[in-house]
Amino acid sequence: MVTIRVYDRNAAAANAGPNQNLCAPVANATLAANAATAPAIGTWTVVSGGGAFANANSPTTTVAGMVIGNNVYRWTIVNGPCPGATTTSDVTIRLFNPATAAASAGPDQSLCGASSTVLAGNAVALPAAGTWTVVAGTATISN
């Protein structure tokens, strides 16, 4: 018996779906990739961070075991012998830690004739980001 598989040369390239921002604790997240056109096969892999897939070949599988920070997953579609047969797309799930300290700009400062000062805000835990903004008056902020 011989099996002949006919692949679609016009099949869509891999698309891992939208990035997600979640706050821990999270048991799992649902991924939203495009489906591979049969007989092509799609497979999820962990690029960085952590996680385990309920079904690594399902475009809409769930992933559990994510770590605080950035978790990057790759959706790969292998379309047999067609030109450009293997395509990939990455998605990032950012898992934030709810125990991260609230922003603190540091102590008030009184300056006389000074043209610059050092601000003393608290450190930011990844994947969160901190940004300084001028609320009143004028200033240039640099790192």
Side-chain angles (χ1 to χ4, degrees), residues 79-143:
N79 194 26
C82 295
T86 301
T87 58
T88 64
S89 177
D90 293 352
V91 64
T92 300
I93 297 180
R94 290 176 190 86
L95 190 60
F96 292 86
N97 185 348
T100 299
S104 171
D108 291 344
Q109 299 181 29
S110 295
L111 306 173
C112 181
S115 62
S116 67
T117 188
V118 176
L119 301 174
N122 62 326
V124 177
L126 293 176
T131 304
W132 288 102
T133 57
V134 178
V135 176
T138 60
T140 300
I141 301 171
S142 61
N143 289 338

Side-chain angles (χ1 to χ4, degrees), residues 46-114:
V46 177
V47 176
S48 63
F53 306 104
N55 177 351
N57 297 115
S58 169
T60 57
T61 192
T62 57
V63 59
M66 295 173 287
V67 300
I68 298 293
N70 291 327
N71 297 273
V72 181
Y73 307 111
R74 179 165 292 145
W75 178 240
T76 302
I77 294 179
V78 178
N79 194 26
C82 295
T86 301
T87 58
T88 64
S89 177
D90 293 352
V91 64
T92 300
I93 297 180
R94 290 176 190 86
L95 190 60
F96 292 86
N97 185 348
T100 299
S104 171
D108 291 344
Q109 299 181 29
S110 295
L111 306 173
C112 181

